[in-house]
mmCIF file of all heavy atoms in Angstrom:
data_model
loop_
_atom_site.group_PDB
_atom_site.id
_atom_site.type_symbol
_atom_site.label_atom_id
_atom_site.label_comp_id
_atom_site.label_asym_id
_atom_site.label_seq_id
_atom_site.Cartn_x
_atom_site.Cartn_y
_atom_site.Cartn_z
ATOM 1 N N GLY A 618 -17.974 -48.764 -16.619
ATOM 2 C CA GLY A 618 -17.033 -48.483 -15.541
ATOM 3 C C GLY A 618 -16.562 -47.049 -15.495
ATOM 4 O O GLY A 618 -16.163 -46.564 -14.427
ATOM 5 N N LEU A 619 -16.582 -46.349 -16.631
ATOM 6 C CA LEU A 619 -16.086 -44.976 -16.625
ATOM 7 C C LEU A 619 -17.019 -44.037 -15.872
ATOM 8 O O LEU A 619 -16.569 -43.046 -15.294
ATOM 9 C CB LEU A 619 -15.884 -44.476 -18.054
ATOM 10 C CG LEU A 619 -14.738 -45.112 -18.848
ATOM 11 C CD1 LEU A 619 -14.584 -44.422 -20.187
ATOM 12 C CD2 LEU A 619 -13.427 -45.037 -18.056
ATOM 13 N N LEU A 620 -18.314 -44.321 -15.887
ATOM 14 C CA LEU A 620 -19.246 -43.461 -15.157
ATOM 15 C C LEU A 620 -18.955 -43.486 -13.656
ATOM 16 O O LEU A 620 -18.976 -42.443 -12.990
ATOM 17 C CB LEU A 620 -20.684 -43.897 -15.419
ATOM 18 C CG LEU A 620 -21.779 -43.067 -14.725
ATOM 19 C CD1 LEU A 620 -21.694 -41.606 -15.179
ATOM 20 C CD2 LEU A 620 -23.156 -43.647 -15.001
ATOM 21 N N SER A 621 -18.654 -44.661 -13.147
ATOM 22 C CA SER A 621 -18.317 -44.758 -11.714
ATOM 23 C C SER A 621 -17.043 -43.992 -11.403
ATOM 24 O O SER A 621 -16.941 -43.301 -10.376
ATOM 25 C CB SER A 621 -18.165 -46.225 -11.308
ATOM 26 O OG SER A 621 -19.368 -46.931 -11.510
ATOM 27 N N LEU A 622 -16.052 -44.081 -12.301
ATOM 28 C CA LEU A 622 -14.816 -43.326 -12.098
ATOM 29 C C LEU A 622 -15.074 -41.828 -12.148
ATOM 30 O O LEU A 622 -14.494 -41.055 -11.378
ATOM 31 C CB LEU A 622 -13.781 -43.727 -13.147
ATOM 32 C CG LEU A 622 -13.189 -45.133 -13.022
ATOM 33 C CD1 LEU A 622 -12.239 -45.407 -14.176
ATOM 34 C CD2 LEU A 622 -12.460 -45.279 -11.692
ATOM 35 N N GLY A 623 -15.944 -41.405 -13.072
ATOM 36 C CA GLY A 623 -16.274 -39.989 -13.159
ATOM 37 C C GLY A 623 -16.955 -39.479 -11.911
ATOM 38 O O GLY A 623 -16.646 -38.389 -11.416
ATOM 39 N N LEU A 624 -17.893 -40.259 -11.385
ATOM 40 C CA LEU A 624 -18.570 -39.864 -10.151
ATOM 41 C C LEU A 624 -17.598 -39.833 -8.975
ATOM 42 O O LEU A 624 -17.656 -38.936 -8.130
ATOM 43 C CB LEU A 624 -19.727 -40.819 -9.864
ATOM 44 C CG LEU A 624 -20.903 -40.753 -10.846
ATOM 45 C CD1 LEU A 624 -21.917 -41.847 -10.517
ATOM 46 C CD2 LEU A 624 -21.563 -39.375 -10.814
ATOM 47 N N ALA A 625 -16.707 -40.819 -8.942
ATOM 48 C CA ALA A 625 -15.706 -40.845 -7.865
ATOM 49 C C ALA A 625 -14.792 -39.623 -7.955
ATOM 50 O O ALA A 625 -14.412 -39.031 -6.939
ATOM 51 C CB ALA A 625 -14.887 -42.132 -7.948
ATOM 52 N N SER A 626 -14.437 -39.228 -9.186
ATOM 53 C CA SER A 626 -13.601 -38.050 -9.364
ATOM 54 C C SER A 626 -14.307 -36.790 -8.886
ATOM 55 O O SER A 626 -13.704 -35.932 -8.224
ATOM 56 C CB SER A 626 -13.212 -37.910 -10.841
ATOM 57 O OG SER A 626 -12.457 -36.744 -11.062
ATOM 58 N N ALA A 627 -15.600 -36.677 -9.199
ATOM 59 C CA ALA A 627 -16.366 -35.513 -8.747
ATOM 60 C C ALA A 627 -16.485 -35.486 -7.231
ATOM 61 O O ALA A 627 -16.352 -34.438 -6.595
ATOM 62 C CB ALA A 627 -17.744 -35.521 -9.391
ATOM 63 N N VAL A 628 -16.725 -36.649 -6.642
ATOM 64 C CA VAL A 628 -16.828 -36.722 -5.182
ATOM 65 C C VAL A 628 -15.501 -36.365 -4.533
ATOM 66 O O VAL A 628 -15.453 -35.701 -3.482
ATOM 67 C CB VAL A 628 -17.289 -38.131 -4.758
ATOM 68 C CG1 VAL A 628 -17.146 -38.322 -3.253
ATOM 69 C CG2 VAL A 628 -18.726 -38.366 -5.190
ATOM 70 N N LEU A 629 -14.392 -36.745 -5.153
ATOM 71 C CA LEU A 629 -13.074 -36.414 -4.616
ATOM 72 C C LEU A 629 -12.871 -34.903 -4.581
ATOM 73 O O LEU A 629 -12.388 -34.355 -3.582
ATOM 74 C CB LEU A 629 -11.994 -37.087 -5.460
ATOM 75 C CG LEU A 629 -10.547 -36.942 -4.975
ATOM 76 C CD1 LEU A 629 -10.385 -37.533 -3.583
ATOM 77 C CD2 LEU A 629 -9.591 -37.620 -5.954
ATOM 78 N N SER A 630 -13.255 -34.220 -5.668
ATOM 79 C CA SER A 630 -13.132 -32.757 -5.692
ATOM 80 C C SER A 630 -14.008 -32.117 -4.622
ATOM 81 O O SER A 630 -13.580 -31.190 -3.914
ATOM 82 C CB SER A 630 -13.515 -32.219 -7.067
ATOM 83 O OG SER A 630 -12.646 -32.704 -8.071
ATOM 84 N N LEU A 631 -15.238 -32.599 -4.485
ATOM 85 C CA LEU A 631 -16.136 -32.048 -3.474
ATOM 86 C C LEU A 631 -15.605 -32.312 -2.065
ATOM 87 O O LEU A 631 -15.762 -31.475 -1.169
ATOM 88 C CB LEU A 631 -17.534 -32.648 -3.639
ATOM 89 C CG LEU A 631 -18.287 -32.268 -4.919
ATOM 90 C CD1 LEU A 631 -19.595 -33.050 -5.013
ATOM 91 C CD2 LEU A 631 -18.561 -30.764 -4.951
ATOM 92 N N SER A 632 -14.964 -33.464 -1.870
ATOM 93 C CA SER A 632 -14.415 -33.789 -0.546
ATOM 94 C C SER A 632 -13.290 -32.838 -0.170
ATOM 95 O O SER A 632 -13.168 -32.429 0.991
ATOM 96 C CB SER A 632 -13.922 -35.233 -0.535
ATOM 97 O OG SER A 632 -14.973 -36.135 -0.802
ATOM 98 N N VAL A 633 -12.456 -32.489 -1.147
ATOM 99 C CA VAL A 633 -11.375 -31.537 -0.880
ATOM 100 C C VAL A 633 -11.955 -30.190 -0.466
ATOM 101 O O VAL A 633 -11.477 -29.549 0.485
ATOM 102 C CB VAL A 633 -10.471 -31.391 -2.123
ATOM 103 C CG1 VAL A 633 -9.501 -30.238 -1.955
ATOM 104 C CG2 VAL A 633 -9.712 -32.677 -2.367
ATOM 105 N N CYS A 634 -13.010 -29.736 -1.151
ATOM 106 C CA CYS A 634 -13.651 -28.472 -0.794
ATOM 107 C C CYS A 634 -14.284 -28.546 0.597
ATOM 108 O O CYS A 634 -14.199 -27.596 1.385
ATOM 109 C CB CYS A 634 -14.706 -28.109 -1.827
ATOM 110 S SG CYS A 634 -14.054 -27.815 -3.480
ATOM 111 N N ALA A 635 -14.912 -29.672 0.916
ATOM 112 C CA ALA A 635 -15.515 -29.841 2.239
ATOM 113 C C ALA A 635 -14.459 -29.837 3.327
ATOM 114 O O ALA A 635 -14.648 -29.260 4.410
ATOM 115 C CB ALA A 635 -16.328 -31.134 2.278
ATOM 116 N N LEU A 636 -13.316 -30.470 3.053
ATOM 117 C CA LEU A 636 -12.242 -30.496 4.037
ATOM 118 C C LEU A 636 -11.677 -29.100 4.259
ATOM 119 O O LEU A 636 -11.391 -28.702 5.401
ATOM 120 C CB LEU A 636 -11.136 -31.447 3.560
ATOM 121 C CG LEU A 636 -9.944 -31.637 4.500
ATOM 122 C CD1 LEU A 636 -10.401 -32.162 5.852
ATOM 123 C CD2 LEU A 636 -8.928 -32.584 3.877
ATOM 124 N N ALA A 637 -11.525 -28.337 3.171
ATOM 125 C CA ALA A 637 -11.043 -26.961 3.302
ATOM 126 C C ALA A 637 -12.008 -26.124 4.128
ATOM 127 O O ALA A 637 -11.597 -25.310 4.961
ATOM 128 C CB ALA A 637 -10.844 -26.346 1.924
ATOM 129 N N ALA A 638 -13.312 -26.312 3.910
ATOM 130 C CA ALA A 638 -14.304 -25.566 4.673
ATOM 131 C C ALA A 638 -14.275 -25.955 6.147
ATOM 132 O O ALA A 638 -14.433 -25.107 7.031
ATOM 133 C CB ALA A 638 -15.694 -25.798 4.083
ATOM 134 N N ALA A 639 -14.057 -27.240 6.421
ATOM 135 C CA ALA A 639 -14.022 -27.692 7.816
ATOM 136 C C ALA A 639 -12.810 -27.129 8.550
ATOM 137 O O ALA A 639 -12.877 -26.871 9.756
ATOM 138 C CB ALA A 639 -14.006 -29.218 7.864
ATOM 139 N N ARG A 640 -11.713 -26.930 7.834
ATOM 140 C CA ARG A 640 -10.491 -26.431 8.468
ATOM 141 C C ARG A 640 -10.432 -24.909 8.530
ATOM 142 O O ARG A 640 -9.558 -24.354 9.195
ATOM 143 C CB ARG A 640 -9.260 -26.941 7.703
ATOM 144 C CG ARG A 640 -9.027 -28.435 7.829
ATOM 145 C CD ARG A 640 -7.961 -28.883 6.842
ATOM 146 N NE ARG A 640 -6.723 -28.141 6.981
ATOM 147 C CZ ARG A 640 -5.716 -28.489 7.777
ATOM 148 N NH1 ARG A 640 -5.824 -29.578 8.521
ATOM 149 N NH2 ARG A 640 -4.626 -27.774 7.844
ATOM 150 N N ALA A 641 -11.338 -24.222 7.846
ATOM 151 C CA ALA A 641 -11.307 -22.757 7.810
ATOM 152 C C ALA A 641 -11.557 -22.192 9.210
ATOM 153 O O ALA A 641 -12.431 -22.662 9.944
ATOM 154 C CB ALA A 641 -12.349 -22.235 6.835
ATOM 155 N N GLU A 642 -10.787 -21.165 9.560
ATOM 156 C CA GLU A 642 -10.932 -20.513 10.861
ATOM 157 C C GLU A 642 -11.865 -19.317 10.705
ATOM 158 O O GLU A 642 -11.442 -18.214 10.371
ATOM 159 C CB GLU A 642 -9.566 -20.085 11.394
ATOM 160 C CG GLU A 642 -8.645 -21.265 11.664
ATOM 161 C CD GLU A 642 -7.315 -20.828 12.254
ATOM 162 O OE1 GLU A 642 -7.209 -19.642 12.638
ATOM 163 O OE2 GLU A 642 -6.407 -21.648 12.330
ATOM 164 N N LEU A 643 -13.124 -19.558 10.955
ATOM 165 C CA LEU A 643 -14.133 -18.521 10.793
ATOM 166 C C LEU A 643 -14.236 -17.668 12.048
ATOM 167 O O LEU A 643 -14.020 -18.151 13.168
ATOM 168 C CB LEU A 643 -15.491 -19.159 10.501
ATOM 169 C CG LEU A 643 -15.634 -19.784 9.104
ATOM 170 C CD1 LEU A 643 -16.856 -20.676 9.051
ATOM 171 C CD2 LEU A 643 -15.722 -18.702 8.047
ATOM 172 N N PRO A 644 -14.560 -16.395 11.887
ATOM 173 C CA PRO A 644 -14.718 -15.522 13.055
ATOM 174 C C PRO A 644 -15.995 -15.845 13.814
ATOM 175 O O PRO A 644 -16.851 -16.588 13.326
ATOM 176 C CB PRO A 644 -14.774 -14.121 12.429
ATOM 177 C CG PRO A 644 -15.285 -14.347 11.053
ATOM 178 C CD PRO A 644 -14.752 -15.686 10.620
ATOM 179 N N PRO A 645 -16.165 -15.274 14.998
ATOM 180 C CA PRO A 645 -17.366 -15.588 15.804
ATOM 181 C C PRO A 645 -18.670 -15.206 15.129
ATOM 182 O O PRO A 645 -19.721 -15.743 15.478
ATOM 183 C CB PRO A 645 -17.139 -14.774 17.084
ATOM 184 C CG PRO A 645 -15.669 -14.547 17.151
ATOM 185 C CD PRO A 645 -15.206 -14.448 15.731
ATOM 186 N N ARG A 646 -18.652 -14.266 14.157
ATOM 187 C CA ARG A 646 -19.903 -13.820 13.555
ATOM 188 C C ARG A 646 -20.410 -14.770 12.474
ATOM 189 O O ARG A 646 -21.284 -14.400 11.690
ATOM 190 C CB ARG A 646 -19.730 -12.414 12.960
ATOM 191 C CG ARG A 646 -18.624 -12.317 11.926
ATOM 192 C CD ARG A 646 -18.487 -10.871 11.422
ATOM 193 N NE ARG A 646 -17.388 -10.710 10.507
ATOM 194 C CZ ARG A 646 -16.147 -10.494 10.860
ATOM 195 N NH1 ARG A 646 -15.845 -10.431 12.150
ATOM 196 N NH2 ARG A 646 -15.183 -10.321 9.967
ATOM 197 N N ARG A 647 -19.900 -15.968 12.413
ATOM 198 C CA ARG A 647 -20.327 -16.910 11.385
ATOM 199 C C ARG A 647 -21.776 -17.354 11.624
ATOM 200 O O ARG A 647 -22.311 -17.255 12.724
ATOM 201 C CB ARG A 647 -19.416 -18.127 11.384
ATOM 202 C CG ARG A 647 -19.405 -18.923 12.673
ATOM 203 C CD ARG A 647 -18.464 -20.115 12.541
ATOM 204 N NE ARG A 647 -18.386 -20.883 13.775
ATOM 205 C CZ ARG A 647 -17.474 -20.689 14.708
ATOM 206 N NH1 ARG A 647 -16.577 -19.738 14.555
ATOM 207 N NH2 ARG A 647 -17.441 -21.426 15.797
ATOM 208 N N ARG A 648 -22.360 -17.867 10.539
ATOM 209 C CA ARG A 648 -23.713 -18.401 10.606
ATOM 210 C C ARG A 648 -23.680 -19.876 10.227
ATOM 211 O O ARG A 648 -22.631 -20.424 9.864
ATOM 212 C CB ARG A 648 -24.625 -17.624 9.668
ATOM 213 C CG ARG A 648 -24.790 -16.162 10.049
ATOM 214 C CD ARG A 648 -25.833 -15.480 9.191
ATOM 215 N NE ARG A 648 -25.989 -14.076 9.532
ATOM 216 C CZ ARG A 648 -26.825 -13.251 8.928
ATOM 217 N NH1 ARG A 648 -27.592 -13.704 7.940
ATOM 218 N NH2 ARG A 648 -26.903 -11.988 9.284
ATOM 219 N N ILE A 649 -24.840 -20.492 10.264
ATOM 220 C CA ILE A 649 -24.906 -21.924 9.970
ATOM 221 C C ILE A 649 -24.496 -22.208 8.526
ATOM 222 O O ILE A 649 -24.004 -23.288 8.198
ATOM 223 C CB ILE A 649 -26.321 -22.463 10.268
ATOM 224 C CG1 ILE A 649 -26.324 -23.990 10.204
ATOM 225 C CG2 ILE A 649 -27.333 -21.849 9.295
ATOM 226 C CD1 ILE A 649 -27.641 -24.592 10.643
ATOM 227 N N TRP A 650 -24.676 -21.201 7.653
ATOM 228 C CA TRP A 650 -24.329 -21.412 6.241
ATOM 229 C C TRP A 650 -22.896 -20.996 5.923
ATOM 230 O O TRP A 650 -22.485 -21.074 4.769
ATOM 231 C CB TRP A 650 -25.284 -20.602 5.348
ATOM 232 C CG TRP A 650 -26.711 -21.035 5.466
ATOM 233 C CD1 TRP A 650 -27.725 -20.352 6.060
ATOM 234 C CD2 TRP A 650 -27.255 -22.258 4.987
ATOM 235 N NE1 TRP A 650 -28.893 -21.073 5.984
ATOM 236 C CE2 TRP A 650 -28.635 -22.258 5.324
ATOM 237 C CE3 TRP A 650 -26.732 -23.363 4.304
ATOM 238 C CZ2 TRP A 650 -29.484 -23.314 5.018
ATOM 239 C CZ3 TRP A 650 -27.583 -24.411 3.991
ATOM 240 C CH2 TRP A 650 -28.936 -24.374 4.349
ATOM 241 N N SER A 651 -22.138 -20.568 6.897
ATOM 242 C CA SER A 651 -20.800 -20.051 6.616
ATOM 243 C C SER A 651 -19.886 -21.122 6.037
ATOM 244 O O SER A 651 -19.236 -20.915 5.000
ATOM 245 C CB SER A 651 -20.192 -19.459 7.890
ATOM 246 O OG SER A 651 -20.869 -18.288 8.274
ATOM 247 N N ARG A 652 -19.816 -22.270 6.694
ATOM 248 C CA ARG A 652 -18.905 -23.317 6.201
ATOM 249 C C ARG A 652 -19.358 -23.882 4.853
ATOM 250 O O ARG A 652 -18.521 -24.094 3.971
ATOM 251 C CB ARG A 652 -18.746 -24.421 7.241
ATOM 252 C CG ARG A 652 -17.969 -23.954 8.463
ATOM 253 C CD ARG A 652 -17.395 -25.096 9.275
ATOM 254 N NE ARG A 652 -16.791 -24.589 10.490
ATOM 255 C CZ ARG A 652 -15.561 -24.089 10.573
ATOM 256 N NH1 ARG A 652 -14.817 -24.039 9.486
ATOM 257 N NH2 ARG A 652 -15.082 -23.632 11.717
ATOM 258 N N PRO A 653 -20.646 -24.162 4.650
ATOM 259 C CA PRO A 653 -21.042 -24.578 3.296
ATOM 260 C C PRO A 653 -20.689 -23.541 2.234
ATOM 261 O O PRO A 653 -20.310 -23.898 1.110
ATOM 262 C CB PRO A 653 -22.560 -24.765 3.416
ATOM 263 C CG PRO A 653 -22.778 -25.109 4.847
ATOM 264 C CD PRO A 653 -21.774 -24.306 5.606
ATOM 265 N N LEU A 654 -20.803 -22.257 2.580
ATOM 266 C CA LEU A 654 -20.450 -21.226 1.610
ATOM 267 C C LEU A 654 -18.951 -21.252 1.319
ATOM 268 O O LEU A 654 -18.532 -21.109 0.159
ATOM 269 C CB LEU A 654 -20.860 -19.851 2.144
ATOM 270 C CG LEU A 654 -20.490 -18.663 1.250
ATOM 271 C CD1 LEU A 654 -21.113 -18.800 -0.130
ATOM 272 C CD2 LEU A 654 -20.898 -17.346 1.903
ATOM 273 N N VAL A 655 -18.135 -21.451 2.344
ATOM 274 C CA VAL A 655 -16.684 -21.537 2.125
ATOM 275 C C VAL A 655 -16.357 -22.709 1.208
ATOM 276 O O VAL A 655 -15.530 -22.603 0.293
ATOM 277 C CB VAL A 655 -15.934 -21.655 3.470
ATOM 278 C CG1 VAL A 655 -14.455 -21.931 3.248
ATOM 279 C CG2 VAL A 655 -16.111 -20.389 4.290
#
Side-chain angles (χ1 to χ4, degrees):
L619 291 185
L620 181 60
S621 299
L622 290 177
L624 292 175
S626 177
V628 169
L629 185 60
S630 298
L631 293 174
S632 299
V633 170
C634 297
L636 182 58
R640 291 169 55 90
E642 296 183 11
L643 288 166
R646 57 182 176 275
R647 61 180 178 267
R648 296 187 181 179
I649 190 173
W650 297 109
S651 291
R652 291 199 186 277
L654 177 58
V655 172

